[in-house]
Amino acid sequence: MEIPREVLLPWFALSEQIKQRNILMNKRCVELTEMLRKDGFDSCILKGQGNTLLYPAPYSRTPGDIDVWVIPTSKVEGHGSKGEGQRTAIKYSVKERRKVVTDFVKRRFPETRIRYQHIDYPVFPDMDVEVHFIPTAKNNPLHNKRIQQWAEEQRETQCANMVSLPDGIGQIAIPTSEFNVIYQLSHLMHHFFDEGIGLRQMMDYYYLLRSSTKLEIRKEKLEMTLKYLGLWKFAGAVMYVMREVFGMEEQFMIALVDERRGRTLLNEILKGGNFGKYSGLTQHSTGGKYFLKHWRNLHFVREYPSEALCEPIFRTWHFFWRLRHR
C-alpha cells in the first residue's frame, strides 16, 4: 500500500526535526559533561541520549530534556594525564551531596526549582537540564531507602562508563545495562504513580531489554533484587505491555507476565499518555491535582498496596520539603 504524499512529507519533515534535535542534544550532553567536570563533578547522563544509542537508527528517538546524575569530586594536582589531575569521588551522604549541588546551582541561578530528586539547571537557552542528586525514588519509605542504598553502591561505576556518541561528537558517561534495567523500571513506576507514562518510555525500555543479550545478570539474582526494591509486581505489568504492544520475545523478559496488572498499566498509558497529558490532571491547579492524584492512585491499591497508600503521604511530605528547601 502506497503511503499518501500528504502523510509521507510531514513524516519526512518530522524525522529530520527529530534528527537535528538529537544532534543538538548530543552536543549539549558533551558540553554539560565537560562543564561539570571543570566545576568538580563527575556526571552520568540518565535515560535520554544513552537510550538513543540502543535504537536501530542513531537519531530516531524523540528526545526530551537532559537528566544528569552528579557526584562531587576532589582533585589531586600533579597526577593523571595532560596535567588534569587525578579525581576521586568525595564520600558525601545523599543529604550532604544535595546541599553541595544545590549551593552550586543556586549561586548561578537563585530562582531555580528544586525537587527531591533533582534541581533545574538552566545553563542552556535551548535545552532543559535537571541535575540529579539521586537517580530515582519510591513512595514506600522502606523501598525508597533500599533503592537509594542500591544506587549509592554503584554510582562511581556509572560515572566511569564512558561511551562515544555518533559522528565523533564526543564522549559521555551513561549507566551500565545492568543498572539501567532496574533504574529505568523504577523510573517508570515513579511516573506511573505521579502523573502517567506513555508508550515512548515503554519503547525505551523495550530497546533496553532487547540489548539484554549483553547483560551478565542471572535472572534469579535480578528477581531477588526487584522484589527487595519493591519492583517485582510492576515488572510483571511492564512485561505484559512489552508482549502485547511490542511483541517482545520471552527470552528478553525479566519477570513473569502479569496480565491483570498489565491491563491496568496499558489502560492508563492509553488513557493518559506521557506525563498524563490527556488524563485531565495537568489542567487543574496544584490543589486540584493533589486530590485528583490521590483519588486516581486509590484505584491501584489492589495491585500495588504499599506504593499506592504511601504515595499521598510522600506527596504531602514532598510539598513541605520543597517549601523548606526553596
Side-chain angles (χ1 to χ4, degrees), residues 3-256:
I3 301 175
R5 184 181 179 87
E6 60 271 20
V7 174
L8 190 61
L9 290 180
W11 277 1
F12 279 138
L14 181 59
S15 176
E16 182 61 24
Q17 290 175 13
I18 291 172
K19 177 182 177 180
Q20 294 303 319
R21 186 66 176 174
N22 272 298
I23 292 173
L24 177 62
M25 279 201 80
N26 283 350
K27 291 179 179 178
R28 293 290 183 256
C29 284
V30 172
E31 292 170 4
L32 179 63
T33 297
E34 180 61 17
M35 284 190 294
L36 289 169
R37 187 195 66 80
K38 289 180 178 178
D39 288 321
F41 297 95
D42 281 344
S43 62
C44 177
I45 303 296
L46 301 170
K47 303 187 276 64
Q49 298 315 99
N51 283 342
T52 301
L53 298 174
L54 302 175
Y55 278 59
Y59 299 121
S60 59
R61 178 183 180 271
T62 302
D65 57 6
I66 298 176
D67 295 89
V68 57
W69 186 16
V70 298
I71 309 295
T73 63
S74 62
K75 183 177 178 181
V76 182
E77 298 295 343
H79 298 277
S81 62
K82 300 181 182 180
E84 292 181 354
Q86 182 179 356
R87 300 157 65 88
T88 57
I90 301 174
K91 302 299 182 181
Y92 285 124
S93 67
V94 172
K95 183 178 180 180
E96 291 169 334
R97 186 190 313 144
R98 182 181 284 111
K99 185 179 188 311
V100 170
V101 175
T102 300
D103 289 347
F104 163 74
V105 171
K106 282 189 172 289
R107 278 196 297 270
R108 295 191 61 185
F109 306 102
E111 302 302 318
T112 192
R113 298 186 313 162
I114 187 172
R115 295 292 185 269
Y116 177 66
Q117 298 181 55
H118 58 75
I119 186 170
D120 292 349
Y121 189 39
V123 68
F124 299 126
D126 52 8
M127 196 75 60
D128 292 332
V129 177
E130 294 177 352
V131 174
H132 282 249
F133 324 113
I134 54 177
T136 186
K138 300 293 296 299
N139 295 322
N140 181 304
L142 176 60
H143 292 153
N144 186 51
K145 181 179 179 180
R146 287 176 177 177
I147 205 163
Q148 302 314 326
Q149 291 173 339
W150 170 82
E152 282 298 293
E153 291 169 359
Q154 304 186 58
R155 58 186 173 85
E156 292 184 34
T157 301
Q158 310 314 309
C159 291
N161 186 45
M162 302 298 294
V163 297
S164 297
L165 295 175
D167 301 321
I169 289 176
Q171 289 191 321
I172 59 173
I174 64 171
T176 63
S177 296
E178 292 87 348
F179 184 89
N180 257 338
V181 165
I182 296 172
Y183 154 64
Q184 291 195 30
L185 182 66
S186 175
H187 180 75
L188 289 172
M189 188 172 186
H190 179 79
H191 275 287
F192 173 71
F193 281 98
D194 185 24
E195 290 178 322
I197 53 178
L199 286 177
R200 181 178 126 195
Q201 284 77 16
M202 288 291 170
M203 183 173 288
D204 276 357
Y205 204 63
Y206 167 78
Y207 281 118
L208 174 61
L209 294 181
R210 289 283 300 182
S211 72
S212 63
T213 52
K214 303 174 184 178
L215 293 178
E216 296 180 358
I217 296 179
R218 290 190 299 109
K219 287 194 174 182
E220 297 84 355
K221 181 180 178 181
L222 180 57
E223 178 179 342
M224 288 176 59
T225 303
L226 293 176
K227 287 179 177 178
Y228 180 73
L229 299 176
L231 294 168
W232 180 248
K233 293 177 181 178
F234 189 72
V238 172
M239 293 307 100
Y240 174 83
V241 176
M242 293 294 109
R243 186 187 70 184
E244 297 299 310
V245 176
F246 300 103
M248 194 171 75
E249 300 90 333
E250 186 177 350
Q251 69 192 83
F252 298 110
M253 300 282 184
I254 61 170
L256 298 174

